[in-house]
Amino acid sequence: MNPTHIEHIGIAVKDLQASIALFERLLGTPCYAVEEVKEQKVRTAFFRTGPTKIALSESTMPDGPIGKFIEKKGEGVHHIAFAVPDVAEALQEAQAAGFQLIDAQPRSGAEGLSIAFLHPKATNGVLTEFCSHG
């Protein structure tokens, strides 16, 4: 799978605007982008922290993945995303290594990334994402 770095840490939030203000104070840096991904029923705000980003995600619909997560577990760390050279290849390698996949094929994510998730049951309860440009 050969991750090059942690691309971002995803944090589920109830109120994106309030959370942006909180993280701007915490990190001492402004949010550089907010993007809605309609297919995933989410709006995400991004912060840079060195080579890693913090992605705050608010559900746009109660039945979206973030909405369901917050209903079940409350706000907090939702997933960790690893940058990989090729998401499809990383998925094949993960499946061959015995990891349960959520996504059998890459899909489109925020910031033009190709993304896919591994099931948290296979990774000690941590929702794990692979992502790459292109």
Side-chain angles (χ1 to χ4, degrees), residues 49-70:
T49 56
T52 302
K53 294 180 252 175
I54 301 295
L56 307 178
S57 294
E58 169 190 69
S59 187
T60 58
M61 300 291 289
D63 66 338
I66 296 296
K68 290 178 185 177
F69 177 88
I70 289 174

Side-chain angles (χ1 to χ4, degrees), residues 76-114:
V77 175
H78 180 258
H79 67 275
I80 187 165
F82 293 98
V84 295
D86 183 288
V87 175
E89 185 177 305
L91 284 173
Q92 289 174 350
E93 290 175 16
Q95 189 169 37
F99 291 95
Q100 182 181 352
L101 308 180
I102 290 177
D103 298 303
Q105 298 294 321
R107 55 188 162 117
S108 296
E111 298 194 301
L113 292 174
S114 176

